[in-house]
Amino acid sequence: MTNEFKAPVKETMKAVGLYKYLPIADPESLIDVEIDKPSPMGRDLLVKVRAISVNPVDYKVRSPKSREESAPRVLGWDVAGVVEQVGPEAGLFRPGDEVYYAGSITRPGGNSEFHLVDERIVGAKPASLSFAQAAALPLTTITAWESLYDRLGVARNPADNAGKTILLIGAAGGVGSIATQLAKLAGLTVVGTASRRESADWAMELGADHVIDHFQAFLPQLKAIGFDQVDYILCLNSTEKHWANMAEAIAPQGKICSIVETDELLNLTLLKNKSATFVWELMFTRSTYQTADMIEQHRLLDEVARLVDAGAIRTTTSDTISPINADNLRKAHAMLETGRTVGKVVLEGF
Protein backbone atom coordinates (compact mmCIF):
# COMPACT_ATOMS: atom_id res chain seq x y z
CA MET A 1 0.00 0.00 0.00
CA THR A 2 1.45 3.37 -0.98
CA ASN A 3 0.68 6.79 0.33
CA GLU A 4 0.54 9.08 -2.67
CA PHE A 5 0.82 12.80 -2.07
CA LYS A 6 -1.97 14.72 -3.69
CA ALA A 7 -1.50 18.45 -4.19
CA PRO A 8 -4.50 20.49 -3.09
CA VAL A 9 -6.85 21.29 -5.93
CA LYS A 10 -6.63 24.97 -6.84
CA GLU A 11 -9.86 26.90 -6.92
CA THR A 12 -10.60 28.67 -10.17
CA MET A 13 -12.80 31.60 -11.10
CA LYS A 14 -14.38 33.13 -14.16
CA ALA A 15 -12.71 36.16 -15.74
CA VAL A 16 -12.56 38.12 -18.96
CA GLY A 17 -9.08 38.55 -20.37
CA LEU A 18 -6.95 38.76 -23.48
CA TYR A 19 -3.93 37.06 -25.02
CA LYS A 20 -3.73 39.30 -28.09
CA TYR A 21 -4.15 43.06 -28.38
CA LEU A 22 -6.75 43.41 -31.11
CA PRO A 23 -9.45 45.76 -32.44
CA ILE A 24 -12.60 45.43 -30.35
CA ALA A 25 -14.57 44.04 -33.32
CA ASP A 26 -12.35 40.92 -33.21
CA PRO A 27 -14.00 38.22 -31.02
CA GLU A 28 -10.55 37.38 -29.58
CA SER A 29 -9.97 40.94 -28.33
CA LEU A 30 -11.63 39.95 -25.04
CA ILE A 31 -12.42 36.34 -24.18
CA ASP A 32 -13.99 34.36 -21.33
CA VAL A 33 -11.37 32.46 -19.33
CA GLU A 34 -10.98 30.38 -16.14
CA ILE A 35 -8.04 31.39 -13.96
CA ASP A 36 -6.77 30.57 -10.47
CA LYS A 37 -8.60 32.22 -7.60
CA PRO A 38 -6.02 34.33 -5.71
CA SER A 39 -5.37 34.52 -1.97
CA PRO A 40 -4.79 37.75 -0.02
CA MET A 41 -1.37 38.54 1.44
CA GLY A 42 -0.11 41.57 3.35
CA ARG A 43 -2.68 44.38 3.30
CA ASP A 44 -4.66 42.87 0.43
CA LEU A 45 -8.38 42.23 0.39
CA LEU A 46 -9.93 39.43 -1.64
CA VAL A 47 -13.15 40.92 -3.01
CA LYS A 48 -16.08 39.04 -4.53
CA VAL A 49 -16.85 41.21 -7.55
CA ARG A 50 -20.49 42.20 -7.92
CA ALA A 51 -20.23 44.96 -10.55
CA ILE A 52 -17.60 46.69 -12.68
CA SER A 53 -17.50 49.69 -14.96
CA VAL A 54 -15.47 50.54 -18.05
CA ASN A 55 -13.15 53.52 -18.55
CA PRO A 56 -11.03 54.81 -21.44
CA VAL A 57 -7.96 53.26 -19.77
CA ASP A 58 -9.49 49.83 -20.51
CA TYR A 59 -9.54 50.28 -24.27
CA LYS A 60 -6.23 52.15 -24.28
CA VAL A 61 -4.52 49.20 -22.58
CA ARG A 62 -6.36 46.75 -24.86
CA SER A 63 -5.62 48.67 -28.09
CA PRO A 64 -3.77 46.78 -30.88
CA LYS A 65 -0.12 45.95 -30.17
CA SER A 66 2.27 43.42 -31.68
CA ARG A 67 2.97 41.46 -28.48
CA GLU A 68 1.02 38.53 -27.05
CA GLU A 69 0.51 37.41 -23.45
CA SER A 70 1.48 33.91 -22.26
CA ALA A 71 -1.30 34.00 -19.65
CA PRO A 72 -4.61 35.86 -19.97
CA ARG A 73 -4.32 39.52 -19.02
CA VAL A 74 -7.34 40.73 -17.06
CA LEU A 75 -8.33 44.39 -17.36
CA GLY A 76 -10.85 46.49 -15.43
CA TRP A 77 -10.29 49.31 -12.95
CA ASP A 78 -13.63 49.94 -11.30
CA VAL A 79 -15.10 47.41 -8.88
CA ALA A 80 -17.90 47.21 -6.34
CA GLY A 81 -18.16 44.05 -4.30
CA VAL A 82 -17.98 42.28 -0.94
CA VAL A 83 -14.83 41.49 1.03
CA GLU A 84 -14.36 37.70 1.04
CA GLN A 85 -11.01 37.44 2.89
CA VAL A 86 -8.40 39.82 4.28
CA GLY A 87 -4.63 39.57 4.33
CA PRO A 88 -2.73 39.12 7.61
CA GLU A 89 -1.74 42.83 7.75
CA ALA A 90 -5.10 44.26 6.72
CA GLY A 91 -7.01 46.21 9.35
CA LEU A 92 -9.40 48.58 7.59
CA PHE A 93 -12.03 46.03 6.49
CA ARG A 94 -13.51 42.69 7.50
CA PRO A 95 -15.14 39.85 5.51
CA GLY A 96 -18.68 40.85 4.56
CA ASP A 97 -17.91 44.56 4.16
CA GLU A 98 -19.26 46.15 0.98
CA VAL A 99 -16.56 48.12 -0.83
CA TYR A 100 -15.77 50.06 -3.99
CA TYR A 101 -12.42 50.99 -5.55
CA ALA A 102 -10.43 51.43 -8.77
CA GLY A 103 -7.45 49.14 -8.14
CA SER A 104 -3.91 49.40 -9.50
CA ILE A 105 -2.71 49.49 -13.11
CA THR A 106 0.31 47.35 -12.10
CA ARG A 107 -1.83 44.38 -10.97
CA PRO A 108 -4.48 42.17 -12.60
CA GLY A 109 -7.71 44.08 -13.15
CA GLY A 110 -11.13 43.49 -11.67
CA ASN A 111 -12.92 41.82 -14.60
CA SER A 112 -13.02 38.56 -12.63
CA GLU A 113 -15.21 36.83 -10.05
CA PHE A 114 -12.72 37.61 -7.27
CA HIS A 115 -10.09 40.33 -7.13
CA LEU A 116 -7.10 41.27 -4.97
CA VAL A 117 -6.65 44.92 -3.98
CA ASP A 118 -4.60 46.83 -1.41
CA GLU A 119 -6.97 48.07 1.30
CA ARG A 120 -5.32 51.53 1.27
CA ILE A 121 -7.04 52.34 -2.05
CA VAL A 122 -10.46 50.90 -1.11
CA GLY A 123 -13.48 52.73 0.28
CA ALA A 124 -16.66 51.59 2.01
CA LYS A 125 -19.41 51.42 -0.65
CA PRO A 126 -22.09 54.13 -0.37
CA ALA A 127 -24.91 52.47 1.55
CA SER A 128 -27.57 54.19 -0.54
CA LEU A 129 -26.28 52.79 -3.84
CA SER A 130 -26.57 49.39 -5.49
CA PHE A 131 -23.34 47.64 -6.47
CA ALA A 132 -23.91 48.66 -10.10
CA GLN A 133 -24.42 52.31 -9.17
CA ALA A 134 -21.34 52.28 -6.93
CA ALA A 135 -19.13 50.65 -9.58
CA ALA A 136 -19.54 53.73 -11.77
CA LEU A 137 -17.75 55.96 -9.28
CA PRO A 138 -14.24 55.03 -8.07
CA LEU A 139 -11.82 55.76 -10.94
CA THR A 140 -13.56 58.89 -12.13
CA THR A 141 -14.14 60.12 -8.59
CA ILE A 142 -10.52 59.66 -7.54
CA THR A 143 -9.35 61.34 -10.74
CA ALA A 144 -11.69 64.31 -10.33
CA TRP A 145 -10.94 64.70 -6.60
CA GLU A 146 -7.16 64.56 -7.06
CA SER A 147 -7.33 66.89 -10.08
CA LEU A 148 -9.28 69.55 -8.20
CA TYR A 149 -7.87 69.36 -4.69
CA ASP A 150 -4.38 67.87 -5.04
CA ARG A 151 -3.23 69.14 -8.46
CA LEU A 152 -5.10 72.43 -8.98
CA GLY A 153 -5.15 73.27 -5.28
CA VAL A 154 -8.84 74.19 -5.19
CA ALA A 155 -9.97 74.99 -1.63
CA ARG A 156 -12.56 72.68 -0.06
CA ASN A 157 -14.30 75.61 1.68
CA PRO A 158 -16.79 77.27 -0.74
CA ALA A 159 -16.22 80.67 0.90
CA ASP A 160 -12.60 80.56 -0.27
CA ASN A 161 -13.68 80.12 -3.90
CA ALA A 162 -16.10 83.04 -4.15
CA GLY A 163 -15.89 84.57 -7.61
CA LYS A 164 -13.60 81.85 -8.99
CA THR A 165 -14.32 79.95 -12.20
CA ILE A 166 -13.28 76.56 -13.58
CA LEU A 167 -13.47 75.38 -17.19
CA LEU A 168 -14.07 71.62 -17.55
CA ILE A 169 -13.19 70.37 -21.02
CA GLY A 170 -15.34 67.29 -21.66
CA ALA A 171 -17.79 67.92 -18.84
CA ALA A 172 -20.25 65.16 -19.78
CA GLY A 173 -17.79 62.26 -19.68
CA GLY A 174 -17.05 60.01 -16.73
CA VAL A 175 -14.55 62.25 -14.94
CA GLY A 176 -16.34 65.43 -16.03
CA SER A 177 -19.60 64.18 -14.53
CA ILE A 178 -17.96 63.92 -11.10
CA ALA A 179 -15.70 66.96 -11.44
CA THR A 180 -18.74 69.14 -12.19
CA GLN A 181 -20.42 68.06 -8.96
CA LEU A 182 -17.28 68.41 -6.82
CA ALA A 183 -16.48 71.84 -8.29
CA LYS A 184 -20.00 73.05 -7.49
CA LEU A 185 -19.71 71.74 -3.93
CA ALA A 186 -16.47 73.73 -3.63
CA GLY A 187 -18.31 76.91 -4.61
CA LEU A 188 -16.76 77.38 -8.06
CA THR A 189 -18.61 78.72 -11.08
CA VAL A 190 -18.47 75.80 -13.54
CA VAL A 191 -18.21 76.25 -17.28
CA GLY A 192 -18.33 72.89 -19.04
CA THR A 193 -17.65 72.06 -22.66
CA ALA A 194 -19.75 69.76 -24.84
CA SER A 195 -20.49 69.42 -28.53
CA ARG A 196 -23.90 67.72 -28.54
CA ARG A 197 -27.22 68.74 -27.04
CA GLU A 198 -27.42 65.46 -25.08
CA SER A 199 -24.02 65.97 -23.44
CA ALA A 200 -24.67 69.66 -22.77
CA ASP A 201 -27.96 68.80 -21.07
CA TRP A 202 -26.22 66.14 -18.95
CA ALA A 203 -23.54 68.62 -17.81
CA MET A 204 -26.18 71.20 -16.87
CA GLU A 205 -28.21 68.56 -15.04
CA LEU A 206 -25.15 67.76 -12.91
CA GLY A 207 -24.66 71.41 -11.99
CA ALA A 208 -22.66 73.19 -14.71
CA ASP A 209 -23.52 76.91 -14.76
CA HIS A 210 -22.70 77.31 -18.45
CA VAL A 211 -21.76 75.07 -21.38
CA ILE A 212 -19.65 76.07 -24.38
CA ASP A 213 -18.66 74.17 -27.54
CA HIS A 214 -15.19 72.62 -27.42
CA PHE A 215 -15.00 72.61 -31.21
CA GLN A 216 -15.00 76.43 -31.21
CA ALA A 217 -12.49 78.93 -29.81
CA PHE A 218 -12.93 79.17 -26.03
CA LEU A 219 -12.25 82.81 -25.24
CA PRO A 220 -14.93 84.41 -27.49
CA GLN A 221 -17.52 82.02 -26.03
CA LEU A 222 -16.37 82.76 -22.48
CA LYS A 223 -16.58 86.51 -23.08
CA ALA A 224 -20.08 86.08 -24.49
CA ILE A 225 -21.22 84.66 -21.14
CA GLY A 226 -19.36 87.25 -19.09
CA PHE A 227 -15.89 85.81 -18.42
CA ASP A 228 -12.62 87.34 -19.67
CA GLN A 229 -10.64 84.43 -18.25
CA VAL A 230 -10.94 81.41 -15.93
CA ASP A 231 -8.99 80.64 -12.77
CA TYR A 232 -8.75 76.89 -13.32
CA ILE A 233 -8.94 74.54 -16.30
CA LEU A 234 -9.35 70.76 -16.10
CA CYS A 235 -8.74 69.12 -19.47
CA LEU A 236 -10.44 65.76 -19.89
CA ASN A 237 -10.20 65.54 -23.68
CA SER A 238 -7.36 65.86 -26.22
CA THR A 239 -4.74 67.97 -24.44
CA GLU A 240 -2.86 68.99 -27.59
CA LYS A 241 -6.00 69.96 -29.52
CA HIS A 242 -7.15 72.34 -26.78
CA TRP A 243 -3.73 73.59 -25.67
CA ALA A 244 -3.72 76.97 -27.44
CA ASN A 245 -7.31 77.66 -26.34
CA MET A 246 -6.45 76.77 -22.75
CA ALA A 247 -3.38 79.02 -22.75
CA GLU A 248 -5.50 81.90 -24.05
CA ALA A 249 -8.35 81.40 -21.58
CA ILE A 250 -6.40 80.81 -18.36
CA ALA A 251 -6.07 83.73 -15.96
CA PRO A 252 -2.67 85.13 -14.95
CA GLN A 253 -1.31 82.83 -12.23
CA GLY A 254 -4.08 80.37 -13.04
CA LYS A 255 -3.70 76.59 -13.10
CA ILE A 256 -4.32 73.98 -15.79
CA CYS A 257 -4.54 70.23 -15.14
CA SER A 258 -4.90 67.50 -17.75
CA ILE A 259 -5.55 63.78 -17.47
CA VAL A 260 -5.07 63.03 -21.20
CA GLU A 261 -1.64 61.96 -22.42
CA THR A 262 -0.28 63.37 -25.67
CA ASP A 263 2.38 62.32 -28.19
CA GLU A 264 2.81 65.93 -29.28
CA LEU A 265 5.09 68.47 -27.61
CA LEU A 266 3.18 71.15 -25.72
CA ASN A 267 4.41 74.72 -26.06
CA LEU A 268 4.75 75.59 -22.37
CA THR A 269 6.06 79.03 -23.33
CA LEU A 270 2.44 80.01 -23.99
CA LEU A 271 1.98 80.00 -20.20
CA LYS A 272 5.15 81.92 -19.29
CA ASN A 273 3.90 85.52 -19.39
CA LYS A 274 0.93 84.56 -17.23
CA SER A 275 3.08 82.59 -14.74
CA ALA A 276 0.44 79.91 -15.17
CA THR A 277 0.83 76.36 -13.87
CA PHE A 278 0.40 73.12 -15.82
CA VAL A 279 0.16 69.80 -14.00
CA TRP A 280 -0.73 66.20 -14.87
CA GLU A 281 -3.11 63.95 -12.96
CA LEU A 282 -3.03 60.14 -12.99
CA MET A 283 -5.02 58.39 -10.30
CA PHE A 284 -2.74 55.32 -10.54
CA THR A 285 0.35 57.25 -9.40
CA ARG A 286 -0.14 56.55 -5.69
CA SER A 287 -0.67 52.80 -6.10
CA THR A 288 2.01 52.40 -8.79
CA TYR A 289 4.73 54.03 -6.70
CA GLN A 290 3.36 53.00 -3.29
CA THR A 291 3.56 56.63 -2.18
CA ALA A 292 3.59 57.49 1.50
CA ASP A 293 0.14 59.08 1.13
CA MET A 294 -1.42 56.14 -0.73
CA ILE A 295 -4.10 55.79 1.97
CA GLU A 296 -5.54 59.16 0.87
CA GLN A 297 -7.50 57.26 -1.80
CA HIS A 298 -9.15 55.18 0.93
CA ARG A 299 -10.03 58.37 2.80
CA LEU A 300 -11.39 60.24 -0.21
CA LEU A 301 -13.55 57.28 -1.29
CA ASP A 302 -15.00 57.12 2.23
CA GLU A 303 -15.68 60.87 2.12
CA VAL A 304 -17.35 60.58 -1.29
CA ALA A 305 -19.52 57.72 0.03
CA ARG A 306 -20.62 60.05 2.82
CA LEU A 307 -21.43 62.79 0.29
CA VAL A 308 -23.36 60.33 -1.89
CA ASP A 309 -25.38 59.04 1.07
CA ALA A 310 -26.11 62.65 2.07
CA GLY A 311 -27.46 63.39 -1.42
CA ALA A 312 -24.68 65.86 -2.25
CA ILE A 313 -23.25 63.77 -5.12
CA ARG A 314 -25.08 61.43 -7.46
CA THR A 315 -23.78 58.38 -9.28
CA THR A 316 -23.09 58.77 -12.99
CA THR A 317 -24.28 55.40 -14.31
CA SER A 318 -25.80 55.80 -17.77
CA ASP A 319 -25.96 52.19 -19.07
CA THR A 320 -26.04 48.88 -17.15
CA ILE A 321 -25.36 45.60 -18.93
CA SER A 322 -25.66 42.09 -17.48
CA PRO A 323 -23.96 39.66 -17.06
CA ILE A 324 -20.21 40.30 -16.91
CA ASN A 325 -18.77 38.33 -19.81
CA ALA A 326 -16.53 38.83 -22.83
CA ASP A 327 -19.36 39.55 -25.25
CA ASN A 328 -20.81 42.31 -23.07
CA LEU A 329 -17.41 43.78 -22.26
CA ARG A 330 -16.63 44.00 -25.98
CA LYS A 331 -19.91 45.88 -26.41
CA ALA A 332 -18.99 48.24 -23.57
CA HIS A 333 -15.50 48.91 -25.00
CA ALA A 334 -17.03 49.62 -28.40
CA MET A 335 -19.46 52.12 -26.84
CA LEU A 336 -16.62 54.00 -25.16
CA GLU A 337 -14.48 54.02 -28.29
CA THR A 338 -17.12 56.07 -30.09
CA GLY A 339 -16.23 58.97 -27.76
CA ARG A 340 -19.95 59.75 -27.48
CA THR A 341 -20.91 58.07 -24.21
CA VAL A 342 -22.46 60.19 -21.46
CA GLY A 343 -21.75 59.08 -17.90
CA LYS A 344 -20.53 55.54 -17.18
CA VAL A 345 -21.17 52.09 -18.67
CA VAL A 346 -21.53 49.43 -15.94
CA LEU A 347 -21.64 45.62 -16.04
CA GLU A 348 -23.22 43.59 -13.25
CA GLY A 349 -23.07 39.94 -12.12
CA PHE A 350 -21.17 36.93 -13.44
Side-chain angles (χ1 to χ4, degrees):
M1 185 174 180
T2 60
N3 291 321
E4 294 184 6
F5 172 76
K6 292 185 178 181
V9 177
K10 285 189 175 181
E11 286 188 79
T12 62
M13 62 180 181
K14 295 177 183 178
V16 177
L18 61 84
Y19 287 95
K20 301 176 182 179
Y21 296 85
L22 299 165
I24 198 58
D26 192 308
E28 291 191 31
S29 59
L30 292 170
I31 60 174
D32 294 306
V33 294
E34 287 271 344
I35 60 176
D36 290 343
K37 179 182 175 181
S39 298
M41 304 292 288
R43 296 193 70 172
D44 276 348
L45 310 175
L46 179 67
V47 176
K48 182 174 178 58
V49 176
R50 296 286 297 274
I52 60 174
S53 71
V54 184
N55 297 281
V57 64
D58 295 72
Y59 68 73
K60 290 176 182 177
V61 172
R62 195 221 72 244
S63 63
K65 303 172 184 64
S66 58
R67 75 174 189 270
E68 293 187 18
E69 302 290 344
S70 57
R73 182 173 185 182
V74 178
L75 310 180
W77 292 281
D78 260 334
V79 171
V82 180
V83 176
E84 178 97 349
Q85 299 175 34
V86 301
E89 298 170 27
L92 298 175
F93 298 95
R94 296 179 297 178
D97 287 346
E98 297 182 351
V99 295
Y100 75 140
Y101 59 89
S104 168
I105 195 73
T106 62
R107 304 181 69 176
N111 295 345
S112 53
E113 282 188 283
F114 297 90
H115 185 234
L116 286 182
V117 61
D118 190 303
E119 67 173 357
R120 289 171 290 178
I121 57 174
V122 176
K125 181 184 79 66
S128 59
L129 298 185
S130 68
F131 287 101
Q133 291 169 327
L137 290 172
L139 187 144
T140 54
T141 295
I142 295 169
T143 302
W145 186 287
E146 291 183 347
S147 295
L148 293 173
Y149 302 130
D150 297 335
R151 311 301 173 220
L152 292 173
V154 172
R156 292 286 307 280
N157 183 1
D160 294 330
N161 295 318
K164 293 184 178 180
T165 302
I166 188 168
L167 176 64
L168 299 178
I169 302 172
V175 177
S177 296
I178 296 295
T180 298
Q181 298 181 73
L182 290 177
K184 286 302 295 179
L185 281 178
L188 294 170
T189 297
V190 177
V191 181
T193 79
S195 60
R196 296 177 294 127
R197 184 72 265 160
E198 178 189 12
S199 51
D201 288 346
W202 174 263
M204 294 291 285
E205 184 182 335
L206 291 174
D209 298 287
H210 308 275
V211 176
I212 64 174
D213 186 345
H214 48 231
F215 288 126
Q216 306 297 324
F218 293 169
L219 196 55
Q221 295 182 83
L222 289 169
K223 287 184 175 181
I225 55 176
F227 303 101
D228 292 327
Q229 58 198 17
V230 291
D231 301 284
Y232 304 103
I233 298 176
L234 177 52
C235 181
L236 310 172
N237 173 273
S238 191
T239 304
E240 69 279 358
K241 182 173 75 175
H242 300 300
W243 184 249
N245 271 319
M246 289 192 286
E248 188 177 43
I250 195 67
Q253 303 183 88
K255 296 180 180 180
I256 301 171
C257 176
S258 179
I259 70 167
V260 187
E261 66 277 10
T262 174
D263 293 327
E264 296 184 19
L265 293 176
L266 300 177
N267 182 7
L268 291 174
T269 303
L270 293 179
L271 304 182
K272 183 176 186 299
N273 285 351
K274 292 182 176 179
S275 298
T277 298
F278 175 70
V279 63
W280 291 110
E281 157 60 17
L282 179 66
M283 60 78 54
F284 292 122
T285 297
R286 281 169 160 150
S287 57
T288 297
Y289 295 99
Q290 299 282 294
T291 60
D293 66 348
M294 185 170 156
I295 200 167
E296 288 302 318
Q297 292 192 346
H298 160 70
R299 292 172 180 151
L300 78 83
L301 285 172
D302 276 359
E303 173 64 9
V304 168
R306 186 190 68 79
L307 291 169
V308 169
D309 289 338
I313 293 178
R314 54 177 277 195
T315 185
T316 56
T317 306
S318 56
D319 293 277
T320 302
I321 305 171
S322 186
I324 302 169
N325 60 28
D327 183 54
N328 283 335
L329 266 169
R330 287 195 299 272
K331 290 176 184 175
H333 278 229
M335 290 168 69
L336 258 68
E337 287 186 6
T338 67
R340 297 173 68 85
T341 54
V342 170
K344 293 293 293 291
V345 180
V346 175
L347 289 86
E348 183 176 27
F350 275 92

